[in-house]
Amino acid sequence: MIILGIDTSCDETSVAVSKDYKVLSNKIWSQAVLHASFGGVYPTLAKREHKEKIDFVIKKALTQAMVKIDEIDAIAVTIGPGLAPALEVGISKAKEIAKRYNKTIFAINHLEAHIFSPFSTSSDKWNLKKIKSKFPAFGLVISGGNTLLIYAEKIGHYKVLAETIDDALGEALDKGARILGLGYPGGPVLEKMAQLKAKGEKEKNPLPLPLVQDPRNTRFSYSGLKTALLRLVEKIEAERGGLGKKDIIDLSYFYQDRAFSHLTRTIKYILPQYKAKTLLVGGGVASNIEIRKRLRKLAHENGLEILFPETKRNCGDNAAMIATTAQIRESLGIIKPSNKDKLERIPNFKIEDIKNA
Ligand code: KG4
């Protein structure tokens, strides 16, 4: 089956073409530079940019895949969760193409797609049998908009085990980087800064570990950590007139360390409570080397195979994972084509609310 995937859920206009389980092209037009001055994504600007770029990105994806638009069998489009004005652009484009060329549309949940992103590859590595053999599985999404751990007894059956009650992990890293004057998106810069911290320096981390007293261990929370960083920066500025390079390196390291320790501490508590074979990880933060190292260790300790997306690029928002998700659901017979007139965005689309046909 040849699928045209479309994702415009946040600040990336992405279009991909896949044939069965093989990704033929995966084009991503990032708006990050545009949103940099706002320190986060500005929804109306995102919508305008998606509208301006989408036809161009579709053309690029089809050309690279060497597929003509009338050769595709279906369109897979993200309907949520995401920014409402941004989602709308991808959905209207999907409807337009579907009507014009008489194609089927599959409506896809962006979080499920992040969890399936390790199965979205440019080689012939995956087929339905192999994918099914990885379940029961845990799914972890660590992105700019979500921090979510789920248990999937099988594909399409999800139980949320932990999620954030305020900021998402990527959002927390972006906000921390902003406080340190490092720009947007902050996760990658913060990672680089943290790597500069001299090895072997044994200092006490001056920042708090979030929710350390919470016995529930089913929640992530990052807003307190961000405020603690802000207060510490204000204190240093008042004492010394500003942050020096060493301060920035140290604080990046300490902040990232606490953010990641909070994530792994909660996951570590939950993993032994369920029987699973695999830990599937997706989302922009999954490209971070330190978090990969810590998650690999956790998976190993719990006898789980851990799977990440094939490239760093595939960790963040991309349309290949949307096409792959449609392919998996279609092969299993658990997705119905959407009504081309009635298809609507669901900005708050929860993974537990996905319906299996
Ligand atoms: O999945 P994604 O593209 O989606 C959302 O926008 O939700 O993730 C973007 C997030 C940003 O917060 C960005 O700072 C973070 O992923 N990120 C990273 C790294 N690369 C991207 N965080 C930590 N380390 C990285 N290397």
Side-chain angles (χ1 to χ4, degrees), residues 8-24:
T8 61
S9 58
C10 191
D11 61 344
E12 266 98 23
T13 314
S14 183
V15 180
V17 179
S18 68
K19 183 166 192 295
D20 303 330
Y21 290 94
K22 185 173 174 169
V23 177
L24 304 179

Side-chain angles (χ1 to χ4, degrees), residues 10 12 114 143-145 170 173-174 185-188 191 283-285 287-288 316-317:
C10 191
E12 266 98 23
H114 267 308
S143 69
L173 298 175
D174 292 340
E191 175 179 32
V285 186
S287 62
N288 184 291
D317 291 349

Side-chain angles (χ1 to χ4, degrees), residues 20-81:
D20 303 330
Y21 290 94
K22 185 173 174 169
V23 177
L24 304 179
S25 66
N26 186 20
K27 294 290 168 194
I28 305 170
W29 181 278
S30 172
Q31 306 174 356
V33 203
L34 275 179
H35 299 284
S37 58
F38 300 101
V41 183
Y42 197 72
T44 45
L45 184 62
K47 176 179 177 172
R48 201 186 69 198
E49 269 298 297
H50 284 312
K51 271 186 141 170
E52 225 169 280
K53 294 288 165 356
I54 191 143
D55 287 328
F56 170 74
V57 186
I58 291 175
K59 201 168 156 211
K60 285 268 212 191
L62 288 167
T63 308
Q64 187 184 329
M66 292 195 288
V67 165
K68 293 197 189 75
I69 196 146
D70 52 342
E71 288 171 345
I72 62 167
D73 297 298
I75 304 158
V77 65
T78 302
I79 58 159

